């Protein structure tokens, strides 16, 4: 039956109402993460509901119902308790669970079962005993400030329209919302997120979430931090065409990257040869809506052209593609 993987407007409305009521009735109070430092957010695209097969009461066979989505917490760890204030019941003590992240060696953290975009500033050790920072490689338009006693991070997470199936409809797993999980860091450097989310967002346009913190001593600021994450929708990029020209505007070479090829790139990186005599490169961005945008790039002091562009995955999640053009790839 075609209806097996589709969410009706009525069921979806009930799910969203349940989510809203759940957020209103259970308000978490400060938990154990207050002993650690807040460093930002991990943005995750999650389905709003999941299908569950059940027997049709009318006796016509199986039917599909939808229940609110809950992430798998089998890899989460108990970390103290939370005090929840529930209307009509007063305060209730509940176990506080966290999900520990694992760094991949390049400043990106993986949270098992919660694929998403890092939007935080974590302190990481260097081999020479110094400190490096990670946790923000997934953001676009990134601005990082690490002044003495104050630091800030501003970044953007891109999303857009998910791909439709053969019937022109969305599969259930692509009907989702962005959820921001707060990320903290322990004194020993452990990075983790909590289930006390900052809310969810879905729809066209965008939203910006900003969280500021400040520590004072005798009226003087000791430490301040501001983390600002924007979730912004963009058109779906169908193909990116890179044309190289010399100083006389003669075309030297052309390379085309489609969205399917972008999905298959290892770690989202592409190395291309920069033709001898290239004075500038024109990048033509063609989206699925028929629009085209052009950008011009010139070789830097090392004779290279570097750029980052954003494609969209099947579910609409932004995928960065980092392109480096240099003489190393010349035949």
């Amino acid at each position: 039956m075609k209806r097996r993987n589709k969410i009706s407007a009525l069921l979806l409305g009930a799910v969203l109402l349940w989510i809203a009521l759940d957020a209103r009735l259970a308000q978490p109070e400060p938990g154990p993460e207050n002993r650690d430092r807040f460093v930002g957010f991990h943005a995750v695209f999650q389905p709003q509901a999941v299908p569950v097969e059940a027997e049709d009461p009318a006796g016509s066979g199986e039917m599909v119902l939808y229940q609110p989505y809950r992430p798998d917490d089998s890899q989460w760890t108990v970390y103290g308790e939370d005090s929840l204030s529930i209307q009509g019941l007063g305060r209730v003590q509940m176990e506080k669970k966290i999900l520990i992240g694992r760094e991949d060696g390049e400043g990106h953290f993986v949270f098992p079962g919660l694929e998403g975009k890092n939007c935080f500033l974590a302190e990481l050790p260097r081999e020479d005993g110094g400190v490096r920072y990670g946790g923000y490689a997934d953001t676009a338009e990134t601005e990082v400030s690490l002044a003495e006693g104050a630091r800030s991070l501003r970044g953007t997470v891109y999303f857009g329209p998910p791909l439709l199936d053969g019937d022109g409809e969305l599969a259930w797993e692509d009907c989702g919302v962005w959820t921001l999980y707060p990320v903290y860091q322990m004194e020993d450097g452990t990075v983790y997120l909590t289930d006390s989310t900052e809310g969810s967002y879905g729809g066209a346009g965008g939203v910006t979430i900003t969280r500021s913190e400040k520590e004072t001593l005798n009226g003087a600021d000791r430490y301040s931090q501001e983390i600002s994450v924007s979730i912004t929708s963009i058109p779906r990029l169908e193909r990116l065409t890179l044309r190289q020209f010399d100083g006389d505007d003669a075309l030297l070479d052309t390379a085309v990257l489609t969205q399917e090829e972008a999905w298959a790139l290892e770690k989202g990186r592409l190395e291309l040869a920069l033709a001898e005599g290239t004075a500038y490169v024109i990048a033509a961005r063609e989206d699925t809506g028929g629009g085209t945008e052009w950008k011009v790039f010139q070789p830097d002091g090392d004779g290279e052209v570097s750029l980052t562009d954003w494609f969209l995955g099947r579910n609409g999640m932004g995928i960065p593609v980092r392109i480096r053009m240099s003489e190393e790839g010349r035949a």
Side-chain angles (χ1 to χ4, degrees):
M1 294 185 294
K2 298 293 186 182
R3 65 187 180 120
R4 291 177 63 87
N5 285 335
K6 317 301 175 191
I7 300 179
S8 70
L10 179 61
L11 285 172
L12 181 56
V15 168
L16 292 177
L17 177 61
W18 184 93
I19 293 174
L21 288 175
D22 180 62
R24 180 177 63 85
L25 294 177
Q27 298 297 329
E29 306 236 341
E33 69 273 9
N34 288 341
R35 298 192 300 263
D36 305 320
R37 174 174 288 183
F38 168 76
V39 292
F41 303 101
H42 183 60
V44 181
F45 184 83
Q46 296 176 324
Q48 296 170 334
V50 295
V52 178
E53 293 187 354
E55 291 294 328
D56 190 339
S60 59
E62 291 184 344
M63 62 181 297
V64 177
L65 301 177
Y66 289 86
Q67 64 182 21
Y69 171 80
R70 292 293 188 188
D72 177 18
D73 63 356
S74 59
Q75 299 193 60
W76 292 59
T77 302
V78 175
Y79 187 50
E81 292 184 336
D82 247 353
S83 176
L84 301 183
S85 179
I86 302 178
Q87 289 182 0
L89 297 178
R91 295 191 177 185
V92 178
Q93 294 296 121
M94 299 182 63
E95 287 185 341
K96 181 70 176 181
K97 289 188 174 182
I98 64 172
L99 182 62
I100 296 175
R102 183 183 70 256
E103 200 235 334
D104 64 1
E106 298 182 358
H108 174 79
F109 283 80
V110 175
F111 296 92
L114 280 181
E115 178 187 357
K117 303 296 184 180
N118 291 176
C119 311
F120 54 87
L121 270 175
E123 295 184 359
L124 306 173
R126 290 203 315 246
E127 293 183 359
D128 61 3
V131 175
R132 60 188 175 94
Y133 290 85
Y136 54 88
D138 296 336
T139 60
E141 303 175 11
T142 307
E143 297 179 14
V144 178
S145 175
L146 300 172
E148 183 70 25
R151 63 183 185 180
S152 65
L153 167 65
R154 296 179 183 273
T156 300
V157 173
Y158 287 136
F159 76 102
L163 288 179
L164 303 179
D165 62 17
D167 298 325
E169 299 185 55
L170 290 177
W172 68 267
E173 59 267 25
D174 292 334
C175 297
V177 295
W178 285 95
T179 300
L180 293 179
Y181 290 85
V183 180
Y184 296 82
Q185 187 166 28
M186 302 179 187
E187 289 186 4
D188 65 2
T190 301
V191 173
Y192 67 89
L193 57 78
T194 76
D195 57 2
S196 300
T197 65
E198 291 285 322
S200 300
Y201 173 80
V207 65
T208 298
I209 304 296
T210 301
R211 181 164 168 177
S212 301
E213 295 186 341
K214 181 181 294 185
E215 295 179 4
T216 61
L217 179 63
N218 297 327
D221 292 346
R222 294 184 56 190
Y223 168 82
S224 66
Q225 173 179 265
E226 180 176 280
I227 305 294
S228 182
V229 180
S230 297
I231 299 177
T232 304
S233 61
I234 59 173
R236 176 173 289 276
L237 184 59
E238 186 171 24
R239 69 175 57 85
L240 176 66
T241 303
L242 300 170
R243 296 183 176 92
Q244 303 179 38
F245 296 86
D246 64 15
D248 295 323
D249 301 328
L251 180 63
L252 301 178
D253 197 9
T254 300
V256 178
L257 180 67
T258 65
Q259 68 172 348
E260 290 80 8
E261 293 170 336
W263 296 341
L265 289 175
E266 184 176 357
K267 295 186 177 181
R269 291 185 173 87
L270 178 63
E271 297 280 342
L272 294 174
L274 190 66
E276 186 174 357
T278 296
Y280 61 95
V281 176
I282 295 181
R285 307 177 71 258
E286 301 173 66
D287 63 54
T288 55
T292 302
E293 179 185 5
W294 290 271
K295 292 184 178 180
V296 179
F297 300 89
Q298 293 180 314
D300 59 20
D302 296 324
E304 299 182 357
V305 172
S306 298
L307 63 140
T308 299
D309 217 322
W310 289 77
F311 286 79
L312 298 177
R314 295 184 181 279
N315 63 358
M317 181 184 293
I319 300 176
V321 174
R322 296 173 175 84
I323 301 173
R324 175 174 173 263
M325 308 174 71
S326 67
E327 63 180 20
E328 295 177 8
R330 295 175 188 170

